[in-house]
Amino acid sequence: MGSIKLLVPAAIKSSPEILHCHDIITLPAGLIVKFRTKCTLVYDAHEIYEQVPGIDKFRQKFYRLIHSVAQRYIDAFITINNSI
């Protein structure tokens, strides 16, 4: 959460037209910036995070929640293959 406190104000101040979030870790911050600046949000997913081997149940549910909330606000989606 510490990085979000630094990232979000800096991104809002720069007033981006497009924000490109790599991986799920940056997606919540990206959503906040999108809501504040009305920028285009690009999500670049490198994994299906809920299905990574060895992931604990809490994190699995947390990632599902992030994706379920975020999916309606993502303007463009990039991934490594069509199955994702």
Side-chain angles (χ1 to χ4, degrees):
M1 288 300 274
S3 61
I4 289 177
K5 289 180 181 180
L6 297 173
L7 176 66
V8 170
I12 291 170
K13 186 176 180 179
S14 72
S15 190
E17 290 181 34
I18 300 171
L19 187 64
H20 189 150
C21 292
H22 286 268
D23 294 321
I24 197 166
I25 302 303
T26 59
L27 191 53
L31 288 172
I32 295 167
V33 175
K34 178 183 176 65
F35 295 148
R36 295 288 303 275
T37 67
K38 308 297 185 218
C39 66
T40 298
L41 180 60
V42 178
Y43 179 41
D44 193 345
H46 299 266
E47 302 282 344
I48 303 174
Y49 299 95
E50 301 90 296
Q51 297 177 6
V52 171
I55 193 169
D56 61 77
K57 295 288 184 192
F58 173 80
R59 197 169 300 232
Q60 189 178 46
K61 289 179 182 181
F62 183 62
Y63 290 162
R64 281 191 186 129
L65 176 63
I66 292 171
H67 281 145
S68 69
V69 170
Q71 66 185 353
R72 69 189 76 131
Y73 303 107
I74 295 168
D75 299 299
F77 181 65
I78 301 169
T79 189
I80 58 171
N81 61 45
N82 289 332
S83 68
I84 294 179

